[in-house]
Amino acid sequence: MSSTALYNDQGGAETAVEAGQESTSSTGAAFGLFSADFKKNEDLKEMLESNKESHKLEAMKRIVGLIAKGKNASELFPAVVKNVASKNIELKKLVYVYLVRYAEEQQDLALLSISTFQRALKDPNQFIRASALRVLSSIRVPIIVPIMMLAIKEASTDLSPYVRKTSAHAIQKLYSLDPDQKEQLIEVIEKLLKDKSTLVAGSVVMAFEEVCPDRIDLIHKNYRKLCNLLVDVEEWGQVVIISMLTRYARTQFINPWKEDGLDENNETAFYDSDSERNQTEAKPYIMDPDHRLLLRNTKPLLQSRNTAVVMSVAQLYWHLAPKHEVSVVTKSLVRLLRSHREVQFIVLQNIATMSIQRKGMFEPFMKSFYVRSTDPTNIKTLKLEILTNLANEANISTILREFQTYVKSQDKEFAAATIQAIGRCATNISEVADTCLNGLVQLLSNRDETVVAESVVVIKKLLQTQPSQHSEIIKHMAKLFDNITVPMARASILWLIGEYCEKVPKIAPDVLRKMAKTFTTEEDIVKLQTVNLAAKLYLTNSKQTKLLTQYILNLGKYDQNYDIRDRTRFIRQLIVPSEKSSALNKYARRILLASKPAPVLESAFKDRDRYQLGTLSHSLNIKATGYQELCDWPTIAPDASVRNVEIIEPVNEWVPKAGKSKQRKSEKFYSDEEEDRDEAGSESSSTEDSSSSSSEESDKSSSASEKTSSESEANSIDLFALLCSQVTTSSFSPVKTYDLLHHMSAKGLAAKYHFPRQPCLYQPCMVAVQVILTNCSDHNLEEIHIGDRIPASLNIHCFNTIERLEPGAAVTVSMGIDFSDSTQAANFQLCTKSDKFNVSIQPVVGELLTPSTMTEEDFCMEQRLKLAQGTVVPVGSYCCFYQLY
Amino acid sequence: MIHSLFLINNTGDIFLEKHWKSVIGRSVCDYFFEAKDKAGDPENVPPVLQTPHHYLISIYRGKLFLLSVIQSEVSPLFVIEFLHRVADTIQDYFGECSENVIKENLVIVYELLEEMLDNGFPLATESNVLKEMIRPPNILRSVVNTLTDTLPTGQLSNVPWRRAGVKYTNNEAYFDVIEEIDAIIDKSGTTVFAEIQGAIEACVRLTGIPDLTLSFMNPRLLDDVSFHPCVRFKRWEAERVLSFIPPDGNFTLMTYHISSQNLVAIPVYVKQNISFFDTASCGRLDITIGPKQTMGKMVEGLSVTIPMPKSVHSANLTATQGSYTFDLATKVLVWDIGKLNPQKLPNLKGSLSIQSGVPKPEENPSLSIGLKVQQLAISGIKVNRLDMYGEKYKPFKGVKYVTKAGKFQVRT
């Protein structure tokens, strides 16, 4: 206790010391061990309290080292938590690490740090906001649930997609801390599901899966968007989204598998019900376009480098695609077999399940499952399993030849598994049953006990399933008997002869005679079976074998081994009728010669298909906690229109001028454009990348141009001309306003901007931008102007300095920015008298372009030209009918 | 998803633990140790285990086990892939993924793990992003303290794999086309199974945000491909060119597979005769290797590895070229040959002695062949051209080909 006392003295009056001390001393036996730690931690504490940053940093590093090793550093909590507000980011990060680890144990002290996080949640830097939310939500202290809830709600509407992503993660953490918040959290999830950023999609679906996987209705409106975003989502998010969409699709679409069955059933229904409603399920089966969309958009992910993504696409195809399309996943799955051992293991398990139902899928790749002597045993056995599943009349000879090599393997466990596999092939393919049986019989002379034992077991099974052939093989085995030395095999043969002694009435007594001769020199296990054989023969053929049996029973009576003596005594009582013998005697025949049930030879993976492929449950063949059952296809497709997303567009208001009949078309066109624009917006830095799909875009735009051309034919009002004329009138309200500066982060100065879509007055190469400045603080803001630009070469036409902005007042100013025809953000400073704020304007491609009229021919010409040149202008398709400013 | 992670060495010491949710006691690892003892060979430990309250998913790499604790249903491959990504990251940071290296850099590894997962869900796994947040140790730490004030931007852009503001004085892009032959050759020398696994390893050091396009002379050869996330699928599907904004530094651009349906050239043949005698406790070994389809290139780095049966006691052999070693503990015979001289074929010949009293081995061991052919992609794939868009400077470009033996096995 001396060291505790010492610690107490120096530790002063802090309450936490008591807590720390208690927890340590309560560990009892380990106490002596920890005393050294105490001294060490004391100097860490001193370092933490020093004024030098470097000392603190050094101390924190050592503390995190302790945590990593799993040592207890909780008594340092008070000293550490003081540094939570440190300016040094490196130090701060380490303090966060510490807090997350120990906050749960030291709840009261952890609360001291909360205000720091609350402040950081309002920081202008998105990374600081995100990391504050991350740590705050990781502190598992129930008292702060309301604070967390508030923070999550706020962050879910944050401008930065990164912060929104973090809020999606925080939802799960809060849910596991306090499940009562479920309803409120679902609201946040619902909001975040609508998010169009690829960054958020994966995380929010993860939150959905964890909090409310059964609220499938939340997905409807976002289904198409998720399908379309999928390719650009980060790989981990892809896995989660794909598995969620698999479940979703199983509830929403009709079964694509039973094509024939459906035809017949629908024949009548088709005629007498109104045809419009029935169209989707009418014959022949027509796949829901949304179902097709999912299949189409997941297919390219088979080429992912991430094995989990490939597997999840494979299971999606397995569970959702029409039967004839499933085989597209085969190649990719086989490719995964080149990966790490653990990956191979899981993939092989899944292939094993698949190959039972669909041999054809993997048969062309049979050789990829050939076993190498360097494979670990569990991989070998799985490959063997698959090869056995794939065996059919055509390839059996190849497979058996391959098996011959495996049987000789030095890995005896694997050799034994091969023998079982041969047995299965023999039962499944009757043509080769004889060959297999002969091969197995030959193996009986193998020197390895496992091989022989396994062969005998398999032969035994085969004989039990094919009763007709008994006598020949048993005779053969009896012949071999003299040459076989392995006791296990000898014993097994004796059992077989005994079991089927009625089929080989001549041989059996002879074998028994031989055994009687060598009985004393045999191994124990053989002796036991000899006694068994004798007993069985005594019951069936007592005339010939009575004396032999009695001789053997006498030998057994005086054997050195008590097991044999016991068995002999038991058998004698059972079979030889005597005065003393019990009632059991009557039943001797029924006991010894009861027909034994034939063992079943089937794949261990036969019933695994009840679990969704690629899941933990499938891998373990046990229903894991939290496993979501994949439900059956609905018989009647639920309403598909729930997935329709109506787009509310300001442009709609003036579209009717172009003719009511065309409204739908133009709406469609604008929705396309809007979608693209939003995509470009979320892919912040460069649409040059536009990894999404240049071809798809050109598709869209070409179809769009078709529509517009037809439109212009119809009303001779060109849409773009219309747009052009509309935008120049001041009454037109812009499509979208973007936040430039949030008042929380800029001491009350809020700035929003939008693109008025007017030719810039200052210079032709500039894009006009209107900025609305609002004073949300309670004091006057003075001298609002534009400061430094980054890069300095950035060409901006500034607005005149605003001398004073009253509280609550707002002013709109216009400025011009030369984006140099790129989507690179323009970064500059917005300054007031006392402060400078870094802001950035991210142009959307659409805002950089000016509309121009073009006939369809010209458009196609232009497009072809661009393609022929091979220039990479992913936005080229736009350029074709817009021209750059 | 992933609840906790334990790093365990071969002898069963837990030397690092990290919990992303509440703490789980080390005792959960006992179930793993039990399975490990049962399996014997660490390679044989089942990757997925079930315990009364948790599920354990582990990988074995570099003599280390990475053991993750899972509480509910998850795709096991997701976890396995992630664990390998952790090992890759450690390797990327410190040059190797081993116990010593991790122990030396415990704090950095711990911080990395903190950044890689949030609440058990992967957050940042791209090495470019991680390196912006946590600097690798080879840069002076004093520099780091000033540098870490700049916050990472990689996670925000739509090219998360590339860090922002890359600058080089020498702009260069190198691509290595590496092909491995996987084959099983049977006793008589016929090919039972052969396929080619290829990968394009890139080392790209280019300023700014370059947009590269790489095209092949004969893309039809490629049977099945997988890409780094930077490659645009649609472009590949439509035009069979690789179009991408590369990550900074080293990465695997793509891997491909050329299946056994196409004829795969086998560069060497092996004549072997290994036999054990019934009567005396000894055996004979005679191996000769010669060139087969080398496309006129030199075969280098030739080696033969034979895991001998356990009963083999010692080997008394003579090699006409190179040297051999026989490890008494693992019973592995390695013959290191070097370059293959077509005029004078390398031969290894001699006797093997077997422990007396032990029956002769049933099966002859199979041979694993190692080899390397420079300047040749055995499949015949060729890069046509590499173009760069988006930046003005002229980069230095290079493509190198090499063929190696993968899992190349000769059965005897």
Side-chain angles (χ1 to χ4, degrees):
Chain A
M1 282 307 279
S2 65
S3 64
T4 328
L6 178 86
Y7 182 78
N8 220 350
D9 287 341
Q10 293 189 356
E14 273 160 14
T15 47
V17 176
E18 248 102 53
Q21 172 194 27
E22 264 165 34
S23 70
T24 325
S25 51
S26 66
T27 43
F31 180 63
L33 233 154
F34 276 119
S35 58
D37 273 354
F38 264 117
K39 282 210 180 94
K40 213 164 137 199
N41 291 349
E42 204 48 44
D43 65 69
L44 284 175
K45 218 169 136 195
E46 266 168 38
M47 284 166 86
L48 280 172
E49 273 155 16
S50 85
N51 292 325
K52 281 192 183 164
E53 292 269 290
S54 59
H55 281 185
K56 289 183 177 178
L57 201 57
E58 180 57 33
M60 277 316 296
K61 277 187 183 156
R62 279 170 53 192
I63 293 170
V64 170
L66 287 179
I67 297 175
K69 282 184 213 138
K71 300 221 171 87
N72 187 10
S74 62
E75 76 274 7
L76 288 162
F77 202 98
V80 173
V81 81
K82 279 179 202 157
N83 291 306
V84 73
S86 166
K87 286 276 179 295
N88 183 325
I89 291 186
E90 180 101 358
L91 181 62
K92 202 171 185 162
K93 255 197 304 200
L94 292 171
V95 175
Y96 283 3
V97 166
Y98 183 91
L99 264 180
V100 170
R101 171 66 180 75
Y102 285 114
E104 205 174 4
E105 295 171 26
Q106 311 248 342
Q107 306 209 348
D108 293 343
L109 282 166
L111 292 178
L112 294 177
S113 61
I114 302 297
S115 61
T116 319
F117 295 120
Q118 283 181 301
R119 219 172 309 133
L121 282 172
K122 308 232 153 72
D123 196 280
N125 186 318
Q126 49 177 333
F127 283 98
I128 295 181
R129 289 204 298 279
S131 81
L133 178 61
R134 215 181 125 188
V135 180
L136 180 72
S137 55
S138 300
I139 296 178
R140 290 168 292 271
V141 178
I143 288 182
I144 63 163
V145 165
I147 299 177
M148 270 163 81
M149 193 69 223
L150 215 66
I152 289 173
K153 279 186 175 163
E154 193 126 308
S156 68
T157 53
D158 198 286
L159 283 181
S160 154
Y162 186 66
V163 178
R164 297 202 296 273
K165 182 190 176 78
T166 318
S167 77
H169 287 228
I171 289 172
Q172 303 163 51
K173 297 185 219 170
L174 180 54
Y175 179 65
S176 64
L177 184 65
D178 183 7
D180 292 342
Q181 305 292 323
K182 188 171 175 177
E183 287 314 312
Q184 287 196 62
L185 288 173
I186 291 177
E187 279 170 31
V188 183
I189 290 175
E190 194 173 357
K191 210 179 332 166
L192 282 172
L193 275 172
K194 294 194 180 109
D195 204 300
K196 282 182 178 156
S197 165
T198 51
L199 213 52
V200 185
S203 303
V204 67
V205 172
M206 189 63 224
F208 170 85
E209 290 282 73
E210 207 124 296
V211 180
C212 51
D214 43 343
R215 287 291 303 274
I216 227 91
D217 56 297
L218 296 181
I219 303 299
H220 292 321
K221 291 270 182 244
N222 303 297
Y223 173 82
R224 286 176 199 161
K225 184 199 73 197
L226 282 174
C227 286
N228 285 323
L229 284 183
L230 199 54
V231 184
D232 293 323
V233 174
E234 38 85 39
E235 39 196 353
W236 310 107
Q238 285 171 347
V239 178
V240 178
I241 296 177
I242 291 173
S243 87
M244 187 275 289
L245 289 179
T246 310
R247 270 194 307 117
Y248 177 85
R250 277 296 268 266
T251 61
Q252 299 300 319
F253 306 126
I254 49 166
N255 193 341
W257 300 336
K258 300 181 210 151
E259 291 168 35
D260 309 328
L262 265 183
D263 280 358
E264 285 169 16
N265 295 339
N266 281 346
E267 196 102 36
T268 46
F270 179 68
Y271 291 113
D272 49 32
S273 71
D274 93 55
S275 55
E276 196 133 294
R277 281 215 61 193
N278 242 357
Q279 225 145 39
T280 43
E281 45 186 79
K283 78 158 207 176
Y285 165 76
I286 297 165
M287 189 184 272
D288 189 305
D290 285 329
H291 191 170
R292 177 52 67 200
L293 176 79
L294 178 60
L295 292 177
R296 198 178 52 227
N297 283 1
T298 47
K299 196 178 161 195
L301 297 181
L302 284 172
Q303 256 68 55
S304 172
R305 67 166 171 176
N306 187 319
T307 56
V309 175
V310 178
M311 188 66 232
S312 62
V313 178
Q315 67 83 21
L316 180 131
Y317 264 76
W318 179 258
H319 292 296
L320 297 182
K323 296 279 185 200
H324 60 275
E325 286 177 42
V326 180
S327 48
V328 298
V329 306
T330 316
K331 254 185 203 170
S332 306
L333 282 179
V334 172
R335 185 187 70 228
L336 300 189
L337 297 181
R338 269 286 293 186
S339 193
H340 299 284
R341 173 184 73 92
E342 298 83 6
V343 175
Q344 284 183 42
F345 181 78
I346 304 290
V347 173
L348 286 171
Q349 280 189 327
N350 285 293
I351 292 180
T353 305
M354 290 165 128
S355 61
I356 292 175
Q357 286 183 33
R358 306 284 305 278
K359 278 187 191 188
M361 251 175 96
F362 292 97
E363 214 196 312
F365 295 89
M366 194 176 81
K367 288 189 172 172
S368 301
F369 303 106
Y370 279 10
V371 174
R372 293 187 168 80
S373 57
T374 44
D375 288 331
T377 309
N378 51 20
I379 300 285
K380 282 183 191 166
T381 5
L382 279 170
K383 283 186 173 175
L384 194 66
E385 176 71 40
I386 294 168
L387 284 175
T388 318
N389 289 342
L390 293 180
N392 59 21
E393 282 85 356
N395 61 24
I396 184 70
S397 58
T398 329
I399 287 183
L400 282 180
R401 205 174 317 127
E402 191 61 22
F403 281 179
Q404 268 168 22
T405 329
Y406 302 165
V407 166
K408 287 186 277 180
S409 166
Q410 290 177 28
D411 183 345
K412 291 306 165 197
E413 200 185 318
F414 170 60
T418 309
I419 293 166
Q420 285 183 2
I422 294 174
R424 261 180 60 201
C425 287
T427 42
N428 295 342
I429 302 160
S430 49
E431 282 91 332
V432 291
D434 294 345
T435 332
C436 288
L437 215 45
N438 285 339
L440 288 172
V441 170
Q442 275 168 26
L443 284 177
L444 290 175
S445 46
N446 196 297
R447 216 177 295 103
D448 190 87
E449 222 172 84
T450 6
V451 174
V452 174
E454 207 64 49
S455 314
V456 170
V457 170
V458 173
I459 290 175
K460 195 185 80 188
K461 285 178 185 173
L462 285 180
L463 292 183
Q464 275 180 281
T465 45
Q466 298 167 301
S468 61
Q469 300 180 340
H470 286 173
S471 54
E472 277 310 303
I473 288 161
I474 295 172
K475 271 180 208 158
H476 182 75
M477 284 168 86
K479 263 183 227 159
L480 278 172
F481 188 71
D482 292 345
N483 300 327
I484 293 173
T485 53
V486 181
M488 184 63 197
R490 286 176 77 88
S492 303
I493 295 171
L494 288 177
W495 182 89
L496 264 175
I497 293 174
E499 187 65 25
Y500 300 107
C501 54
E502 282 168 318
K503 309 258 174 179
V504 282
K506 285 194 181 137
I507 291 178
D510 203 43
V511 171
L512 189 68
R513 184 183 55 81
K514 275 187 189 164
M515 285 314 296
K517 252 197 244 173
T518 56
F519 187 84
T520 45
T521 56
E522 293 290 347
E523 287 282 329
D524 293 346
I525 184 172
V526 185
K527 287 180 182 170
L528 286 176
Q529 286 306 325
T530 312
V531 174
N532 269 359
L533 173 67
K536 284 173 185 170
L537 282 177
Y538 182 87
L539 290 173
T540 53
N541 187 4
S542 61
K543 213 197 288 172
Q544 265 184 309
T545 57
K546 196 172 180 183
L547 285 173
L548 269 174
T549 306
Q550 263 166 5
Y551 175 65
I552 285 168
L553 289 177
N554 279 336
L555 284 177
K557 193 174 175 184
Y558 301 105
D559 198 88
Q560 280 181 325
N561 187 301
Y562 52 76
D563 270 348
I564 294 163
R565 293 200 300 271
D566 278 358
R567 176 73 63 89
T568 314
R569 208 167 294 136
F570 162 70
I571 292 286
R572 188 190 290 275
Q573 287 300 316
L574 189 62
I575 58 168
V576 184
S578 66
E579 282 164 31
K580 279 189 286 177
S581 69
S582 58
L584 222 53
N585 196 300
K586 278 183 269 175
Y587 301 104
R589 208 184 164 88
R590 274 164 74 182
I591 290 169
L592 283 172
L593 292 171
S595 69
K596 280 91 183 165
V600 192
L601 296 174
E602 59 183 14
S603 169
F605 285 82
K606 194 159 193 317
D607 54 350
R608 288 231 183 158
D609 55 350
R610 63 199 151 126
Y611 298 113
Q612 190 176 351
L613 287 186
T615 58
L616 186 63
S617 305
H618 174 267
S619 186
L620 289 167
N621 201 15
I622 287 169
K623 192 168 172 179
T625 343
Y627 174 73
Q628 300 268 340
E629 207 80 50
L630 201 61
C631 57
D632 248 337
W633 299 98
T635 39
I636 297 159
D639 187 10
S641 65
V642 289
R643 284 184 293 277
N644 291 344
V645 186
E646 68 272 8
I647 291 123
I648 302 129
E649 274 283 300
V651 281
N652 285 351
E653 286 158 25
W654 52 268
V655 156
K657 285 184 198 167
K660 272 235 150 72
S661 59
K662 297 293 168 194
Q663 188 175 355
R664 251 181 81 89
K665 269 189 183 174
S666 54
E667 205 175 294
K668 184 83 193 293
F669 168 61
Y670 275 99
S671 73
D672 278 353
E673 192 206 353
E674 171 64 17
E675 229 171 80
D676 289 337
R677 208 187 295 145
D678 280 338
E679 256 170 56
S682 60
E683 298 170 18
S684 50
S685 75
S686 64
T687 334
E688 263 91 31
D689 170 48
S690 121
S691 58
S692 53
S693 53
S694 47
S695 64
E696 210 182 321
E697 273 165 19
S698 66
D699 278 2
K700 276 183 194 167
S701 52
S702 60
S703 64
S705 78
E706 269 171 41
K707 279 172 201 155
T708 42
S709 67
S710 67
E711 189 147 4
S712 59
E713 275 165 36
N715 334 28
S716 70
I717 300 171
D718 188 272
L719 249 162
F720 293 109
L722 184 68
L723 179 66
C724 227
S725 64
Q726 287 283 335
V727 292
T728 45
T729 61
S730 56
S731 63
F732 176 73
S733 73
V735 182
K736 213 163 181 173
T737 307
Y738 306 84
D739 271 22
L740 188 61
L741 200 55
H742 195 255
H743 68 89
M744 291 304 231
S745 51
K747 303 193 178 169
L749 175 64
K752 292 185 174 197
Y753 69 93
H754 62 84
F755 298 93
R757 295 188 179 165
Q758 291 167 353
C760 185
L761 301 168
Y762 313 109
Q763 266 173 49
C765 62
M766 281 183 172
V767 177
V769 181
Q770 284 195 336
V771 182
I772 305 150
L773 298 163
T774 318
N775 184 354
C776 301
S777 67
D778 47 9
H779 54 272
N780 288 344
L781 289 169
E782 291 177 333
E783 282 179 44
I784 302 170
H785 63 280
I786 286 173
D788 295 339
R789 298 134 208 205
I790 312 144
S793 60
L794 186 69
N795 195 2
I796 297 184
H797 187 281
C798 311
F799 52 83
N800 296 330
T801 304
I802 298 160
E803 289 304 337
R804 169 179 292 202
L805 197 58
E806 303 280 345
V811 62
T812 306
V813 292
S814 44
M815 54 193 287
I817 301 175
D818 184 3
F819 288 103
S820 334
D821 292 341
S822 81
T823 50
Q824 299 286 341
N827 298 306
F828 55 91
Q829 285 185 328
L830 200 59
C831 310
T832 62
K833 194 178 182 184
S834 48
D835 297 287
K836 294 180 176 178
F837 306 103
N838 287 323
V839 294
S840 117
I841 291 187
Q842 176 77 56
V844 175
V845 178
E847 304 293 357
L848 298 175
L849 308 167
T850 181
S852 81
T853 321
M854 199 179 270
T855 64
E856 195 178 353
E857 288 88 43
D858 285 355
F859 171 74
C860 293
M861 264 304 260
E862 195 82 16
Q863 193 180 31
R864 234 172 287 136
L865 213 69
K866 289 279 195 254
L867 282 176
Q869 284 168 350
T871 44
V872 181
V873 194
V875 289
S877 42
Y878 297 109
C879 298
C880 297
F881 53 96
Y882 285 89
Q883 275 176 340
L884 285 166
Y885 266 108
Chain B
M1 285 190 143
I2 298 169
H3 207 293
S4 301
L5 176 72
F6 295 95
L7 297 193
I8 302 167
N9 68 11
N10 223 347
T11 54
D13 292 330
I14 303 168
F15 61 93
L16 188 150
E17 60 179 77
K18 170 89 186 94
H19 308 275
W20 284 276
K21 300 181 185 181
S22 39
V23 179
I24 290 177
R26 286 183 170 204
S27 55
V28 76
C29 297
D30 293 346
Y31 295 101
F32 172 76
F33 293 136
E34 202 178 296
K36 182 171 161 257
D37 288 343
K38 214 167 112 192
D41 188 5
E43 293 261 294
N44 268 333
V45 180
V48 185
L49 290 170
Q50 194 197 16
T51 75
H53 301 290
H54 304 96
Y55 305 96
L56 306 177
I57 298 184
S58 63
I59 65 163
Y60 180 68
R61 219 171 120 169
K63 303 223 166 83
L64 289 183
F65 288 100
L66 281 76
L67 175 73
S68 61
V69 184
I70 312 291
Q71 269 190 326
S72 63
E73 177 61 52
V74 65
S75 157
L77 266 190
F78 184 100
V79 181
I80 288 169
E81 179 79 25
F82 175 79
L83 293 178
H84 277 293
R85 210 57 78 75
V86 170
D88 288 341
T89 309
I90 292 172
Q91 205 165 347
D92 189 37
Y93 262 71
F94 313 112
E96 60 168 337
C97 178
S98 70
E99 187 185 354
N100 280 340
V101 160
I102 295 173
K103 276 185 172 166
E104 274 167 32
N105 300 290
L106 205 60
V107 177
I108 300 183
V109 173
Y110 195 85
E111 282 185 273
L112 278 174
L113 291 173
E114 178 80 29
E115 289 300 334
M116 288 179 87
L117 285 182
D118 183 12
N119 195 36
F121 188 75
L123 190 64
T125 49
E126 281 297 334
S127 104
N128 265 293
V129 174
L130 285 169
K131 279 184 180 164
E132 271 187 274
M133 292 191 273
I134 300 155
R135 303 275 157 176
N138 54 346
I139 304 172
L140 282 172
R141 290 303 272 182
S142 57
V143 181
V144 171
N145 288 346
T146 57
L147 274 175
T148 38
D149 288 350
T150 58
L151 288 150
T153 51
Q155 275 169 306
L156 292 176
S157 70
N158 65 329
V159 271
W161 52 84
R162 191 172 176 87
R163 63 191 174 91
V166 185
K167 270 210 176 83
Y168 288 105
T169 40
N170 295 323
N171 289 294
E172 38 190 32
Y174 298 110
F175 295 88
D176 289 359
V177 180
I178 301 164
E179 296 198 333
E180 293 192 356
I181 307 170
D182 284 1
I184 301 177
I185 313 284
D186 80 356
K187 221 176 207 163
S188 57
T190 46
T191 310
V192 176
F193 163 74
E195 61 181 13
I196 296 170
Q197 304 287 344
I200 300 185
E201 302 282 351
C203 172
V204 177
R205 300 177 190 284
L206 298 173
T207 307
I209 301 182
D211 195 330
L212 302 180
T213 306
L214 186 139
S215 61
F216 295 100
M217 302 273 262
N218 37 11
R220 270 168 204 289
L221 276 176
L222 304 174
D223 200 29
D224 182 44
V225 286
S226 77
F227 299 119
H228 189 274
C230 69
V231 177
R232 296 171 183 128
F233 287 127
K234 294 272 156 102
R235 248 343 252 294
W236 171 258
E237 267 176 14
E239 302 167 53
R240 299 271 142 180
V241 295
L242 299 177
S243 154
F244 55 99
I245 294 175
D248 186 41
N250 297 326
F251 64 100
T252 306
L253 178 64
M254 74 179 286
T255 59
Y256 59 86
H257 174 104
I258 292 170
S259 73
S260 46
Q261 271 82 355
N262 306 30
L263 222 54
V264 177
I266 306 289
V268 293
Y269 70 83
V270 181
K271 261 197 215 157
Q272 40 73 29
N273 183 14
I274 303 175
S275 52
F276 298 100
F277 303 114
D278 270 326
T279 46
S281 55
C282 69
R284 217 178 45 205
L285 180 142
D286 187 346
I287 302 171
T288 310
I289 297 187
K292 202 171 171 189
Q293 293 159 291
T294 58
M295 319 282 178
K297 296 281 197 303
M298 174 77 82
V299 177
E300 298 168 25
L302 202 57
S303 70
V304 180
T305 309
I306 314 170
M308 286 292 179
K310 294 282 171 267
S311 53
V312 173
H313 194 254
S314 65
N316 184 15
L317 310 164
T318 42
T320 59
Q321 190 187 339
S323 59
Y324 79 91
T325 52
F326 182 66
D327 188 327
L328 288 175
T330 57
K331 312 278 185 194
V332 174
L333 178 77
V334 180
W335 178 27
D336 208 344
I337 303 167
K339 282 183 185 169
L340 177 66
N341 181 356
Q343 268 74 49
K344 197 171 158 286
L345 300 181
N347 170 270
L348 182 73
K349 202 170 171 179
S351 63
L352 304 166
S353 62
I354 300 171
Q355 277 170 333
S356 51
V358 178
K360 75 157 189 159
E362 303 263 343
E363 190 207 19
N364 288 335
S366 54
L367 324 179
S368 295
I369 310 287
L371 60 84
K372 202 166 157 184
V373 186
Q374 300 278 11
Q375 301 303 321
L376 171 74
I378 199 95
S379 67
I381 195 89
K382 261 205 148 54
V383 172
N384 186 21
R385 52 180 301 153
L386 176 73
D387 299 303
M388 186 182 76
Y389 305 95
E391 296 287 334
K392 301 230 156 51
Y393 55 85
K394 276 251 176 298
F396 190 79
K397 303 178 277 193
V399 178
K400 214 169 70 184
Y401 300 92
V402 64
T403 297
K404 292 179 190 170
K407 295 174 181 166
F408 193 111
Q409 230 168 58
V410 180
R411 289 178 178 166
T412 58

